[in-house]
Amino acid sequence: MNRVVVAIPNWNGAAELTACLDSLLAQSYRELTIVVVDNGSIDESRQIIERYAKKDSRVIGIYHDKNYGFTGGVNAGLEYAIAQKVKYAALLNNDAVAHKDWVKHLVNFLDSHTTYGIATCKLLHADGKTFDSSGDQYSIWGLPYPRGRNEPTSNKYDHLTNVFGASGGASLYRIDMLKEIGLFDQDFFAYYEDIDISFRAQLAGWKVAYVPAAEVYHEQGTTSAKMKDFTVYQSFKNFPIVPVKDVPRGLIGLIWPRFLLAYAAFFISAVRRGKIVPALKGIGAFLAMLPRKIRQRKEIQRNKKVSDAYISSLLLHDLPPDQTKLRALRAKWWKLRGKA
């Protein structure tokens, strides 16, 4: 049995961390090292980590002096995993609770499917009544979305299948793949970093699987809720990074016009909600890092191993299901064109 490193990024998550750690210590897959990466918490997080580490040698803490975000947290855990020469590393949010067979099902899948670099799970909301994610998809509008988000729990997503991407909150990553494509892009800090690494994996020829037998229960948004306007700022900063870095040349004409329309619509919505300042700050932060993202793009696209047609076949050739306002806007445009 191969040892698996599970990395948990944590920032002031003392209220959630105990249940998360208990669920990992109860895993049927026993060969685990549980690495809690604390991003400068000022609550009781460190005391909790140290208490668990004393009780069980499989738990260790890595302590940062400040908040390096989700990406900085998980990358520290992944670097530890690489140094330990393990085969796989899993990521789990600090506000998530894993079913006892979560790791076992994901490891079994990757062990028997060597062309897959990532395996993700059935991610349900904490009460188990609705879906959080059954794998991530990416649309020709340049918009990622979690399959099944907020749908009532059912057997609709009970089939093992390929997906475009995996939720960074509860997935297993092959270390050989990470050595090839690199770790999470820390410029994201939080949000959409998981779709970026999944896109890079797909471009490099690695596949991503949704393994429904593996289940996790997630209390969504507990960390971001602690920071005012955090989601607005991060969204406007991070949304454009993925198409800049990852969309191959042959799909630029398909995706970028639609993405720019969606991005403009989101900005208008932010203005109407009184969120113009964090939105503008997010756009400014993106523009400041644009030269670096273009340099990264050149390397990513130079190492691409699959065709543009293959990437296109993985995309949703429509708007994401939850984009009701954009759908209404598109319907009006189609109506005008029909009159013309």
Side-chain angles (χ1 to χ4, degrees), residues 236-291:
F236 278 94
K237 175 174 70 73
N238 292 348
F239 254 141
I241 297 178
V242 176
V244 165
K245 288 176 59 181
D246 303 325
V247 170
R249 181 183 299 178
L251 298 179
I252 288 175
L254 176 69
I255 292 175
W256 266 99
R258 292 175 172 84
F259 172 76
L260 290 173
L261 177 61
Y263 197 60
F266 294 156
F267 181 75
I268 292 170
S269 176
V271 172
R272 289 175 175 170
R273 291 183 288 115
K275 302 295 183 180
I276 187 171
V277 173
L280 287 173
K281 286 183 177 179
I283 294 170
F286 163 71
L287 292 174
M289 69 177 71
L290 182 57

Side-chain angles (χ1 to χ4, degrees), residues 195-327:
I195 204 72
D196 168 65
I197 202 168
S198 295
F199 210 139
R200 287 188 277 130
Q202 296 284 6
L203 289 168
W206 293 96
K207 296 178 182 178
V208 183
Y210 165 65
V211 183
E215 293 186 1
V216 165
Y217 299 85
H218 182 215
E219 189 70 51
Q220 188 184 9
T222 57
T223 300
S224 59
K226 299 169 186 174
M227 295 176 276
K228 183 180 179 182
D229 294 331
F230 177 77
T231 301
V232 176
Y233 169 79
Q234 288 297 120
S235 295
F236 278 94
K237 175 174 70 73
N238 292 348
F239 254 141
I241 297 178
V242 176
V244 165
K245 288 176 59 181
D246 303 325
V247 170
R249 181 183 299 178
L251 298 179
I252 288 175
L254 176 69
I255 292 175
W256 266 99
R258 292 175 172 84
F259 172 76
L260 290 173
L261 177 61
Y263 197 60
F266 294 156
F267 181 75
I268 292 170
S269 176
V271 172
R272 289 175 175 170
R273 291 183 288 115
K275 302 295 183 180
I276 187 171
V277 173
L280 287 173
K281 286 183 177 179
I283 294 170
F286 163 71
L287 292 174
M289 69 177 71
L290 182 57
R292 181 165 65 253
K293 298 299 118 181
I294 292 174
R295 290 194 298 271
Q296 291 171 352
R297 171 188 174 79
K298 290 178 180 178
E299 182 178 359
I300 292 167
Q301 301 303 323
R302 183 169 59 247
N303 295 324
K304 181 167 70 79
K305 295 180 180 177
V306 298
S307 69
D308 294 352
Y310 173 75
I311 294 297
S312 179
S313 73
L314 301 175
L315 305 179
L316 173 71
H317 284 248
D318 195 0
L319 279 164
D322 61 344
Q323 292 297 332
T324 54
K325 292 182 180 179
L326 280 176
R327 286 180 179 277

Side-chain angles (χ1 to χ4, degrees), residues 84-145:
Q84 295 299 307
K85 299 182 179 180
V86 299
K87 192 174 182 180
Y88 306 119
L91 306 182
L92 188 66
N93 279 358
N94 63 350
D95 54 2
V97 172
H99 183 275
K100 67 181 181 66
D101 294 325
W102 173 64
V103 173
K104 181 184 76 172
H105 286 304
L106 296 181
V107 168
N108 287 347
F109 179 85
L110 287 188
D111 273 348
S112 57
H113 296 81
T114 58
T115 60
Y116 286 75
I118 311 173
T120 193
C121 67
K122 181 186 290 184
L123 192 59
L124 301 171
H125 288 127
D127 61 6
K129 295 180 180 179
T130 52
F131 282 94
D132 184 347
S133 173
S134 59
D136 289 346
Q137 296 295 82
Y138 196 72
S139 79
I140 60 171
W141 285 74
L143 304 177
Y145 69 97

